[in-house]
Amino acid sequence: MLDPEETPSQEQTLTRDHGGNIQRVLLEFGLRDVQLVDFSTNVNPRGLPPRASQRIAQDAANLALLQRYPDVRALELRRALSAKHQIGEDCIVIGAGAAELLAASIRALHDREFEIACVESNKRERSRVAENLTDLGFRVYPSAANFLFMQVPAGLSATQIWSSLITDYYIHLRNCDSFEGL
């Protein structure tokens, strides 16, 4: 196991996948033109909407846009959404993913009841999944996080299960085999 005081080398850092490395998975399993359902990251399973794709292509052709820092407040997007939905721009929050938006929303609303309800819902779902995995012969380690660590049953390996999910069901989960000590 890595010493928590030890800083990982650049090579160690670069070889760890955060998740979502679909190109590597497709290459590793010799798959082509397969739609994996990627649960290893927080992405839209339906893919990029056509209008968003067109706008990205349009903006990518504009060198002036590519040479400036993005608008972190998303003013143009907020204006367009405001006009379309007939609500004030100050009522629209743009963020980089669901976790960021939920955290910002909870902070903005100061809604402790909602925050507690969300945490309790996550705990119930985590418990349900842990129970089902235990029934299937997995050893699930206690966790307060939004993910589970588990030990696979004898005769199987995490890599076998991960591979089967990809090749048989086209589901991609994060494989932590490359993390020393796990």
Side-chain angles (χ1 to χ4, degrees):
M1 181 177 252
L2 285 176
D3 180 344
E5 300 294 318
E6 181 184 318
T7 303
S9 69
Q10 184 177 13
E11 182 179 319
Q12 287 172 315
T13 303
L14 293 175
T15 58
R16 290 188 181 168
D17 285 333
H18 174 65
N21 192 342
I22 298 299
Q23 294 76 16
R24 183 185 60 80
V25 172
L26 291 173
L27 279 172
E28 186 174 320
F29 288 90
L31 300 173
R32 302 188 105 202
D33 301 316
V34 174
Q35 281 297 110
L36 288 179
V37 179
D38 186 1
F39 291 107
S40 69
T41 60
N42 184 11
V43 296
N44 182 349
R46 296 182 186 147
L48 190 62
R51 287 183 61 201
S53 180
Q54 292 165 359
R55 177 63 188 265
I56 290 169
Q58 173 189 327
D59 288 354
N62 184 342
L63 187 58
L65 284 177
L66 295 177
Q67 293 177 335
R68 70 176 191 226
Y69 197 79
D71 175 10
V72 294
R73 296 192 59 222
L75 295 175
E76 184 181 354
L77 176 59
R78 289 175 54 219
R79 282 189 188 119
L81 290 170
S82 172
K84 177 177 177 142
H85 297 288
Q86 303 292 304
I87 58 174
E89 289 178 32
D90 59 335
C91 295
I92 299 170
V93 179
I94 307 295
E100 179 184 337
L101 291 172
L102 283 172
S105 299
I106 291 167
R107 283 192 310 274
L109 296 172
H110 300 291
D111 189 343
R112 185 75 177 140
E113 188 177 310
F114 177 73
E115 181 180 4
I116 291 168
C118 287
V119 169
E120 291 305 315
S121 175
N122 285 344
K123 286 180 180 178
R124 283 191 304 274
E125 183 63 11
R126 183 181 56 237
S127 294
R128 185 188 69 77
V129 171
E131 186 178 311
N132 287 337
L133 288 168
T134 300
D135 290 346
L136 292 170
F138 291 83
R139 178 179 176 198
V140 179
Y141 294 91
S143 171
N146 65 348
F147 56 85
L148 296 170
F149 278 114
M150 61 190 178
Q151 182 178 13
V152 299
L156 292 174
S157 75
T159 300
Q160 287 173 317
I161 294 168
W162 179 72
S163 299
S164 175
L165 285 170
I166 292 170
T167 57
D168 300 339
Y169 302 99
Y170 305 117
I171 294 174
H172 181 219
L173 298 175
R174 184 169 182 191
N175 184 352
C176 296
D177 277 355
S178 65
F179 285 73
E180 188 176 328
L182 292 183

